[in-house]
């Protein structure tokens, strides 16, 4: 997935200008930066969820907007209506709709895919539970399960680990790593800097533009963290050039 010359603004407030960045296949890439740095804006403008002033977003040299079935997006939970009367099984089943087309209903194949996703995310016992009754970690696993049945080539998650339990986070990370190893492009907007080296192959560091991007071992360093965040945070995270 390639983003070229992307400019996004809210009125007269320019979030970033002429931004270029790429995301590799079969790699799990983290996007980090301070609050308000443009991380979620980068994702949403790439997906066409918010307007861009200019820019080209492609996947396999084809405009991303022309192949929505190849993209799975797990948005922030804060943007969701948890009062909607739908159970876990049916939420996951909606992930099959994009490939079925407008006039086709999910059948046995799709229901088996949902059951498999429930098992992978350890959610079988919650299949008939209304989504508003779930914990934060359980709910996030539901949305990752929905992404599984989409069978997309690019999977994008916006702050998936905020406010969830450690067990759910571990399950989700395991699934994401499996996807990456199978050849999918995994992109995660992330907030916990202490887990960057553990979770990601590649890293994009942002602050109203790209501070650095590339392999984690090449980009996650004192200089880049100090540029994007602050020298104080860089000194806290790093000790004589090595991550604590």
């Amino acid at each position: 997935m390639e983003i070229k010359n992307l400019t996004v603004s809210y009125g007269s407030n320019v979030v970033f200008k002429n931004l270029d960045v790429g995301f590799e296949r079969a790699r799990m890439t983290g996007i980090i930066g301070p609050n308000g740095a443009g991380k979620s804006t980068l994702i949403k403008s790439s997906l066409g969820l918010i307007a861009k002033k200019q820019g080209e977003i492609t996947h396999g040299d084809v405009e991303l907007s022309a192949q929505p079935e190849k993209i799975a997006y797990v948005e922030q939970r804060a943007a969701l209506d948890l009062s909607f009367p739908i159970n876990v099984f049916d939420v996951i089943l909606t992930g099959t709709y994009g490939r079925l087309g407008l006039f086709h209903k999910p059948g046995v194949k799709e229901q088996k895919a949902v059951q498999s996703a429930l098992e992978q995310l350890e959610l079988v016992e919650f299949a008939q539970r209304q989504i508003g009754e779930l914990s934060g970690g359980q709910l996030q696993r539901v949305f990752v399960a929905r992404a599984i049945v989409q069978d997309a080539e690019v999977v994008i998650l916006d702050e998936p680990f905020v406010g969830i339990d450690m067990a759910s986070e571990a399950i989700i990370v395991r699934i994401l790593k499996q996807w990456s190893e199978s050849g999918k492009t995994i992109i995660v907007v992330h907030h916990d800097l202490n887990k960057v080296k553990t979770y990601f192959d590649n890293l994009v560091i942002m602050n109203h533009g790209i501070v650095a991007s590339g392999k984690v071992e090449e980009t996650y360093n004192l200089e880049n963290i100090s540029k994007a965040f602050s020298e104080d945070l860089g000194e806290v995270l790093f000790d004589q050039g090595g991550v604590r």
Side-chain angles (χ1 to χ4, degrees):
M1 177 172 156
E2 295 286 338
I3 298 173
K4 298 179 180 178
N5 200 34
L6 182 62
T7 298
V8 178
S9 63
Y10 297 110
S12 60
N13 178 31
V14 177
V15 182
F16 43 72
K17 186 176 182 180
N18 301 329
L19 182 149
D20 296 325
V21 68
F23 299 94
E24 289 186 285
R25 180 180 174 273
R27 294 290 184 273
M28 187 164 162
T29 301
I31 303 177
I32 64 172
N35 291 336
K39 304 184 297 295
S40 293
T41 298
L42 173 64
I43 295 305
K44 290 178 179 179
S45 58
S46 298
L47 295 171
L49 300 176
I50 60 175
K52 63 182 187 294
K53 283 189 172 296
Q54 65 179 30
E56 181 182 20
I57 299 95
T58 58
H59 174 247
D61 297 324
V62 178
E63 276 287 340
L64 193 65
S65 59
Q67 42 185 337
E69 75 283 354
K70 294 185 178 180
I71 310 297
Y73 173 50
V74 179
E75 63 184 324
Q76 294 182 11
R77 294 199 316 278
L80 302 167
D81 178 8
L82 300 183
S83 66
F84 191 76
I86 187 171
N87 65 30
V88 166
F89 189 97
D90 289 339
V91 168
I92 299 171
L93 190 63
T94 63
T96 67
Y97 291 179
R99 292 184 178 274
L100 286 173
L102 187 60
F103 300 107
H104 298 276
K105 294 182 178 180
V108 173
K109 177 182 177 181
E110 289 72 33
Q111 292 179 10
K112 286 183 176 179
V114 172
Q115 187 62 36
S116 175
L118 285 166
E119 293 169 1
Q120 291 178 63
L121 274 299
E122 301 181 18
L123 289 167
V124 174
E125 64 182 291
F126 303 105
Q128 301 305 315
R129 193 81 58 88
Q130 194 270 337
I131 57 170
E133 300 174 1
L134 302 178
S135 71
Q138 292 162 354
L139 186 63
Q140 197 66 292
R141 280 188 273 156
V142 169
F143 294 121
V144 172
R146 183 176 63 180
I148 285 180
V149 301
Q150 286 182 253
D151 194 26
E153 295 178 17
V154 179
V155 183
I156 302 173
L157 304 96
D158 194 353
E159 299 275 17
F161 307 127
V162 172
I164 73 172
D165 58 279
M166 292 180 63
S168 291
E169 183 168 337
I171 292 169
I172 292 170
V173 170
R174 171 174 54 81
I175 294 296
L176 297 181
K177 287 184 178 291
Q178 288 175 358
W179 284 345
S180 169
E181 291 165 1
S182 73
K184 297 181 186 294
T185 303
I186 310 299
I187 303 168
V188 181
V189 176
H190 188 62
H191 70 285
D192 188 347
L193 302 187
N194 290 299
K195 295 179 179 177
V196 165
K197 293 190 74 174
T198 303
Y199 285 178
F200 302 115
D201 305 300
N202 294 349
L203 188 65
V204 174
I205 304 175
M206 291 187 66
N207 195 345
H208 296 285
I210 304 299
V211 174
S213 66
K215 295 179 179 178
V216 168
E217 58 265 28
E218 297 172 355
T219 56
Y220 190 57
N221 55 46
L222 175 61
E223 179 182 1
N224 290 332
I225 293 300
S226 296
K227 284 181 181 178
F229 294 87
S230 69
E231 291 185 8
D232 289 343
L233 180 59
E235 291 174 358
V236 169
L237 288 172
F238 293 84
D239 178 19
Q240 296 181 350
V243 180
R244 293 199 310 172

